Amino acid sequence: MREIFSFLAEYIDKNRITLAAITGGGGKTSLLYGLGRELAASRRVLLTTTTKIFRPAPGECRDLFVGPAKHCLSFLEAMPPVSLLTAASGEGGGKLLGYTPEETERLAGSGAAVIAECDGSRGHPLKFYETWEPPVPQGCGCLFAVAGVGALGERADEERIFRADKFRALHNITEGAKITAANYLSYLSHPEGPLKNAPRGAKKILLLNQWEICGEDSRTALMEIIPALLKSYDAAACVSMRRNILYDYRER
């Protein structure tokens, strides 16, 4: 086992990725700030969103810019060469409002490493995607797709799935049924799943989050579907964002 955030930071550096997107279920914001802090130990880093996020806590990111992308670009370029900045276009409804995917790409042209949260799931492990989701910058070099594994074996209802009724219809799950590893495979590899709108040339990394709460049977069932998932993803990792642990990593 090793730290997941340092592992992913090394992956970004090794592949010279200047813009990474995050989609999927619960754990995205933990990844955004955890990976951002790791990268900012040696370079200028910008954290943002193309949807909405809560203001960062002081321990997540100290510096915050709120304003138009063109002003953010000037502000970012004036930051120290080793620094961490969260930025948003505005605020509303208690959340920071993101930039468009195109604006996010322009911010990545500053030379900073840009990480953008491009999805919303209200903290649920799984979700159904509406037609406008997720707003992924087409210039991103890497997409991290997050799925919370705590829903495995639980009922396929609104407590575990954002827009559960539409999710069940898409993946042929009957109301009241429990979520299986086969349902995870269907969701994660489906064209309307976390890889929806992913750029063809981007690296695609699946992060199975909350691994620490899985029992042995659940871990075995999920590990059995990873070979099939690697037909859609370049790599898959079993992780705990909360504990910053990488338990297992497999590449195509």
Side-chain angles (χ1 to χ4, degrees), residues 15 17 31 74-75 78 94-95 118 129 133 146 165 209 221-222 225 239 246:
N15 289 280
I17 293 164
L31 174 59
S74 299
F75 189 93
K95 287 190 172 183
C118 302
Y129 286 86
E133 298 175 304
V146 182
D165 54 343
N209 190 30
L222 290 167
I225 68 170
V239 309
L246 170 63

Side-chain angles (χ1 to χ4, degrees), residues 123-185:
H124 293 58
L126 310 173
K127 71 171 288 186
F128 172 87
Y129 286 86
E130 296 289 6
T131 56
W132 62 85
E133 298 175 304
V136 177
Q138 292 303 292
C140 72
C142 181
L143 184 141
F144 297 112
V146 182
V149 299
L152 184 64
E154 302 294 335
R155 289 167 61 93
D157 56 22
E158 286 293 342
E159 186 175 344
R160 284 93 185 176
I161 304 170
F162 184 31
R163 307 184 185 116
D165 54 343
K166 295 180 179 180
F167 184 97
R168 289 195 301 267
L170 181 63
H171 298 288
N172 299 311
I173 304 171
T174 58
E175 188 171 1
K178 292 185 177 181
I179 300 166
T180 67
N183 297 146
Y184 268 86
L185 175 58

